[in-house]
Amino acid sequence: MNGHTSYGMAVAASWTLQWEYWAILGLVLIIADMILGWNFFVVPIGFASLATAFLLGMTWDFGFINYNAWSHIVLLFAVSSLLCVGILRTFFHNKKETPKDINDY
């Protein structure tokens, strides 16, 4: 392992501990999705990033989250991403009734 790898990992670990990083990431993802027309592909991930920023900023002690460990923050982001995808999918899922096909017997 060379010195650049450990320095890069230290920088990435320090970024994940900052709530400002997660807030900026969330806003960039949501705005990019709206401007580039990605059909709400990364909006749930942007919302999850904002939720992670909120939880990091509030530093509520849930007992199972260590706010000083980057791996716990990334796990928190992953779980909140799954929750946001599930919640937004249930609200914005296409519920149109498909017309009857003439070939259905």
Side-chain angles (χ1 to χ4, degrees):
M1 182 183 271
N2 59 17
H4 296 291
T5 304
S6 62
Y7 173 75
M9 188 64 181
V11 170
S14 69
W15 283 354
T16 58
L17 298 176
Q18 304 296 322
W19 69 269
E20 295 94 349
Y21 166 77
W22 292 104
I24 291 170
L25 179 67
L27 291 174
V28 165
L29 286 174
I30 292 170
I31 291 170
D33 195 324
M34 300 293 176
I35 290 175
L36 298 175
W38 288 339
N39 295 327
F40 298 102
F41 184 69
V42 292
V43 167
I45 299 170
F47 281 141
S49 179
L50 291 176
T52 304
F54 178 75
L55 289 173
L56 276 173
M58 292 293 134
T59 60
W60 290 331
D61 187 18
F62 293 111
F64 56 88
I65 299 173
N66 181 5
Y67 289 105
N68 295 322
W70 66 269
S71 58
H72 287 213
I73 304 302
V74 171
L75 183 63
L76 174 69
F77 172 67
V79 169
S80 61
S81 293
L82 290 174
L83 287 173
C84 285
V85 166
I87 290 169
L88 289 177
R89 180 167 286 258
T90 58
F91 284 123
F92 296 112
H93 185 65
N94 191 3
K95 296 178 182 174
K96 290 182 182 176
E97 181 98 13
T98 57
K100 292 272 187 180
D101 189 10
I102 196 167
N103 295 321
D104 286 338
Y105 298 108

